[in-house]
Amino acid sequence: MDSTQLLENQQAIAIAGLVGVVIVLFIVKRLILVRLKAKARSENSSMSDIYRVLVLSLNAPLNLLIWVIFLLLVKSIVSVFQIEDEGAIKALTIVIEAGLIITLFLFFERFVTYSLSRYRDQSTIVKNTSAIAGGAVRALFAVLAILIILSTMGVSVTPIVASLGITSLAVALALQPTLENFFSGIQLVMDKPIRIGDFIELDSGEQGFVEKIGWRSTWVRMLPNNIVIMPNSKLSNSKLINYYYPERELSVPVEVGVHYSSDLEHVENVCLEVANTILEQHEFGVETYQPFVLFHTFDNSSINLTVMLRTREYFNRFFIKSAFIKMLKKRFDEEGIVIPFPITALNLEQEGAAQSTENLTPKA
């Protein structure tokens, strides 16, 4: 009876020790995370981002690791007290090994995913690939973890890998349009004909900002604030205009017509003065750009010319063109330069003379 009581007391002490160890491990984990958070706040360089990523990446894996250590201690206590249950010990061993593998892969998966999320605004490539790369990383780590766990359990993974190859071929044939969109999305990301935030015009005529480049489709936000969802395969094979590539600045041509009696040198000087004023004063004008004027057409009622301005980006061209036209009309009125209405002239004298000649011609 005394030995039984002693054994029960030892088991109670062991259980209390297990609980105490778990509590201490959670406190240590908390201290580690607090220390990393303090380092992240104190660092002003790129190291602060690394510390922030570590804080986010370590939380869940450390929790899982603590429970794995708890199971290791339980297994040790079972061995010490000589509790003979081979099935339970074997199951406990498998769970511990699987837990360690999952902990390791969970940390790497979270570290890569949070790194992509953290640095997506600092690099165009990362920004464009974060959505696709994040999903691919999760899938890759999940498959690797499952295969390694099965291998540690004594299951041969060679037939599984072969089956996965055959299954992948069948799935690829069944999901050919989806895979075509997926690889077209990768092509868009690698070739970078468009980037998130670019203002583009599709071959169908729609214009808008690239909102997202996803696995299957690209989202384009139109100017009326609606979304056009374009399959990646169609987008990669279509003709489009990227108004933000290679740079956002672009020229703004403004067509003007003046009367035939106008002094063209004076017209050119007035247009250049107004253009320079607009580019310097308007918030969307490019101050360093030198505007120029080209006379190009003798039209029916006017001599036509083009004034070339420059704006910061495509969408701003409407505002700078409107401001230029208003100021130019005011200056033309002040300078006496006439913008003619369309005129159709009838030469009645010439028509009358032709009619008289026709009447005097003897008929055969």
Side-chain angles (χ1 to χ4, degrees):
M1 186 68 181
D2 293 337
S3 60
T4 304
Q5 186 69 30
L6 179 62
L7 182 61
E8 291 179 353
N9 291 335
Q10 291 176 345
Q11 291 177 349
I13 293 171
I15 293 172
L18 282 175
V19 174
V21 169
V22 170
I23 294 173
V24 170
L25 288 176
F26 273 108
I27 294 173
V28 171
K29 186 208 82 168
R30 179 66 178 173
L31 293 175
I32 292 173
L33 294 181
V34 169
R35 179 61 178 170
L36 288 175
K37 288 180 181 179
K39 292 286 290 182
R41 286 192 294 267
S42 62
E43 293 283 345
N44 294 323
S45 62
S46 59
M47 290 298 296
S48 62
D49 290 328
I50 296 177
Y51 285 125
R52 292 188 184 96
V53 171
L54 283 175
V55 170
L56 295 172
S57 304
L58 285 174
N59 189 26
L62 285 178
N63 288 336
L64 186 58
L65 181 63
I66 289 172
W67 291 112
V68 170
I69 295 173
F70 172 77
L71 293 178
L72 279 171
L73 294 175
V74 169
K75 182 181 177 181
S76 301
I77 291 174
V78 168
S79 300
V80 169
F81 288 103
Q82 298 179 351
I83 300 175
E84 298 180 357
D85 190 345
E86 294 183 0
I89 293 176
K90 185 176 180 181
L92 197 60
T93 303
I94 293 173
V95 171
I96 291 171
E97 292 177 350
L100 288 173
I101 295 169
I102 293 173
T103 300
L104 183 63
F105 277 92
L106 183 63
F107 168 73
F108 283 114
E109 182 271 327
R110 287 182 168 241
F111 184 81
V112 174
T113 303
Y114 285 121
S115 296
L116 290 173
S117 177
R118 176 65 61 178
Y119 292 102
R120 68 186 302 270
D121 294 330
Q122 301 179 15
S123 172
T124 304
I125 297 177
V126 176
K127 186 176 182 179
N128 290 339
T129 59
S130 59
I132 296 176
V137 166
R138 292 189 188 94
L140 177 63
F141 279 116
V143 171
L144 288 176
I146 292 172
L147 291 177
I148 294 175
I149 290 172
L150 291 176
S151 179
T152 57
M153 293 173 61
V155 178
S156 178
V157 297
T158 303
I160 297 176
V161 173
S163 300
L164 286 175
I166 298 173
T167 304
S168 300
L169 179 60
V171 171
L173 293 175
L175 300 178
Q176 186 174 358
T178 302
L179 292 176
E180 183 181 2
N181 287 322
F182 172 74
F183 286 108
S184 296
I186 295 177
Q187 180 183 352
L188 290 174
V189 169
M190 299 301 295
D191 291 344
K192 294 186 291 185
I194 60 174
R195 299 156 295 186
I196 295 176
D198 285 355
F199 188 85
I200 65 173
E201 180 177 342
L202 306 176
D203 57 357
S204 55
E206 291 97 340
Q207 295 179 337
F209 295 92
V210 178
E211 188 87 359
K212 181 177 72 173
I213 302 175
W215 289 60
R216 191 191 67 83
S217 60
T218 298
W219 294 29
V220 181
R221 183 177 295 277
M222 301 289 101
L223 296 182
N225 204 32
N226 56 326
I227 296 289
V228 171
I229 300 175
M230 192 81 170
N232 289 332
S233 58
K234 290 186 177 180
L235 188 63
S236 63
N237 294 322
S238 64
K239 182 182 70 175
L240 57 87
I241 302 174
N242 189 344
Y243 290 103
Y244 280 7
Y245 188 83
E247 59 180 356
R248 294 195 175 191
E249 291 184 6
L250 80 163
S251 300
V252 182
V254 182
E255 300 294 329
V256 183
V258 296
H259 197 274
Y260 272 90
S261 62
S262 302
D263 182 352
L264 298 187
E265 294 293 337
H266 183 53
V267 170
E268 182 177 5
N269 292 333
V270 171
C271 290
L272 290 176
E273 289 177 10
V274 174
N276 283 312
T277 303
I278 290 294
L279 293 180
E280 292 173 1
Q281 297 181 357
H282 201 280
E283 58 179 326
F284 299 136
V286 180
E287 299 180 6
T288 57
Y289 182 72
Q290 295 295 324
F292 58 91
V293 176
L294 293 173
F295 295 88
H296 53 78
T297 306
F298 288 104
D299 209 345
N300 292 333
S301 56
S302 63
I303 297 177
N304 296 339
L305 60 135
T306 299
V307 183
M308 198 66 70
L309 308 174
R310 198 167 185 85
T311 187
R312 298 186 185 278
E313 60 181 69
Y314 178 81
F315 184 66
N316 298 333
R317 77 192 193 283
F318 304 107
F319 304 101
I320 196 168
K321 188 174 182 179
S322 174
F324 174 75
I325 290 174
K326 289 191 293 184
M327 183 176 289
L328 184 65
K329 174 62 169 62
K330 185 177 180 181
R331 281 295 307 276
F332 274 7
D333 291 342
E334 294 174 356
E335 300 292 335
I337 300 173
V338 178
I339 302 176
F341 295 103
I343 298 172
T344 301
L346 297 177
N347 193 331
L348 298 178
E349 294 182 0
Q350 183 178 355
E351 291 293 330
Q355 187 67 32
S356 300
T357 303
E358 183 178 341
N359 292 334
L360 293 173
T361 303
K363 296 182 180 179

